[in-house]
């Protein structure tokens, strides 16, 4: 594996916010001028997956891809608050990240690696940009409306664990959102604008097949993909997409504070990306 | 496969650590023992995916998730 350098820098994202970027620059880049932008998950999943995905970014850089890992607006070390952003903000941030990767490395093309919500955002960008050379999607969120409602359920789960009989329901939280404009879910302020932007996207990630090669990794402790991911695989194969789909039976590290890596998924991704890189 | 075995499969697939199948008898305590709030959320999703139903919010209570047995009763009621 080649040596890479790592550089932290800031670049301008949506509404001119300063976004933190970490650039992993390989010593010997793959031919073809392709780099990779990593799109991170939402809230706790972002926090818990950090270490694992840093390792993946380094591993991809090790086989010759310049990789940009960045924090979207209102997340991590980037400017802004969660109360100020919506899905379109993050799509603009992703556009800015692609440009930052090009400016910093001279890469002509930006492939996308996305984990969970980041995978859904990557799919949306690939729909808009036919120049995306490939996609790597780890347990991607394919239905944004369902996802944000499932996230809201965490408030219910907190009550269950606390044995509190608060009677919180997602419908009640949605009413609170309509009445007050914001609700708190496990410590995260979810605004009506952010919530509505998830609903507005809904199932758009799956409404078009990617035009580029795509690696989809289903990651769970079960012995099969979720119904939704299995259906997505069937849709892609039926549409004749160039898709590689694997189910990896492993703990979902983005939900586990005791899991710092997913070596099976990392190895599969690096091998697949290396094959793509050899095609030139 | 018996329903209880399937439910235990799902519990095992959503919890980490050192939980073994033979520990999960009907009286085994879930909430306040092996399930934190994130695990409860994941368990809800996994049960819905496995059995093809959706829980209504008012079905999700501390009592239902108290033990393996109470959870199995909830799932049985959804499948009837």
């Amino acid at each position: 594996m080649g040596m890479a350098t790592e550089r932290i820098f800031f670049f301008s994202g949506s509404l001119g916010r300063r976004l933190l970027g970490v650039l992993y620059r390989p010593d010997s880049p793959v031919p073809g001028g392709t780099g990779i932008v990593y799109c991170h998950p939402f809230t706790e999943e972002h926090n818990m997956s950090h270490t694992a995905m840093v390792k993946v970014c380094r591993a991809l850089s090790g086989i010759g891809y310049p990789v940009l890992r960045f924090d979207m607006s209102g997340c991590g070390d980037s400017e802004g608050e969660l109360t100020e952003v919506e899905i379109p903000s993050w799509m603009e941030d992703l556009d800015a990240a692609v440009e930052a990767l090009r400016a910093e490395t001279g890469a002509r093309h930006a492939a996308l690696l996305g984990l969970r919500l980041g995978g859904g955002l990557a799919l949306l960008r690939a729909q808009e940009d036919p120049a995306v050379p490939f996609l790597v999607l780890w347990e991607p969120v394919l239905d944004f409306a369902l996802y944000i409602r499932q996230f809201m359920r965490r408030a219910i789960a907190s009550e269950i664990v606390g044995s509190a009989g608060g009677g919180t329901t997602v419908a009640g939280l949605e009413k609170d959102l309509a009445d007050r404009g914001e609700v708190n879910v496990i410590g995260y302020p979810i605004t009506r604008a952010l919530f509505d932007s998830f609903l507005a996207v809904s199932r758009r990630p799956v409404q078009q097949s990617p035009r580029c090669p795509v690696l989809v990794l289903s990651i769970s402790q079960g012995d099969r993909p979720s119904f939704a991911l299995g259906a997505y695989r069937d849709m892609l194969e039926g549409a004749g997409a160039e898709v590689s789909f694997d189910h990896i039976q492993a703990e979902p590290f983005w939900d586990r504070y005791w899991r710092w890596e997913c070596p099976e998924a990392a190895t599969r991704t690096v091998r697949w990306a290396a094959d793509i890189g050899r095609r030139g | 496969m018996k329903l209880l075995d399937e439910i235990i499969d799902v519990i095992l697939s959503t919890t980490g650590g050192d939980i073994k199948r033979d520990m999960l008898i009907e009286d085994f305590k879930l909430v306040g023992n092996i399930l934190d709030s994130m695990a409860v959320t994941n368990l809800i999703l996994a049960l819905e995916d496995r059995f093809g139903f959706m829980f209504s919010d008012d079905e999700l209570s501390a009592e239902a998730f108290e033990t393996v047995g109470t959870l199995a009763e909830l799932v049985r009621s959804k499948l009837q």
Side-chain angles (χ1 to χ4, degrees), chain A residues 44 48 150 153-154 156-158 160-161 163 169-171 221-222 224 226-228 251 255-258, chain B residues 12-17 31 35-38 40-42 44-45 48-50 55 57 60-62 65:
Chain A
E44 286 297 294
M48 294 207 188
Q150 287 169 347
R153 273 175 147 184
R154 300 230 166 172
I156 302 171
S158 287
I160 287 172
V161 169
S163 295
T169 63
V170 173
Q221 285 183 269
R224 68 193 89 164
S226 67
F227 177 80
E251 287 193 86
D255 264 345
R256 301 281 191 270
Y257 51 81
W258 61 84
Chain B
L12 288 169
S13 75
T14 55
T15 55
V31 164
L35 293 184
D36 59 14
S37 64
M38 190 168 280
V40 167
T41 308
N42 294 334
I44 291 168
L45 292 174
E48 290 177 333
D49 192 69
R50 178 69 166 252
F55 290 109
D57 290 346
L60 302 173
S61 66
F65 284 79

Side-chain angles (χ1 to χ4, degrees), chain A residues 248-263:
Chain A
I248 291 173
Q249 198 163 1
E251 287 193 86
F253 57 93
W254 57 87
D255 264 345
R256 301 281 191 270
Y257 51 81
W258 61 84
R259 280 283 170 258
W260 306 105
E261 59 182 0
C262 188

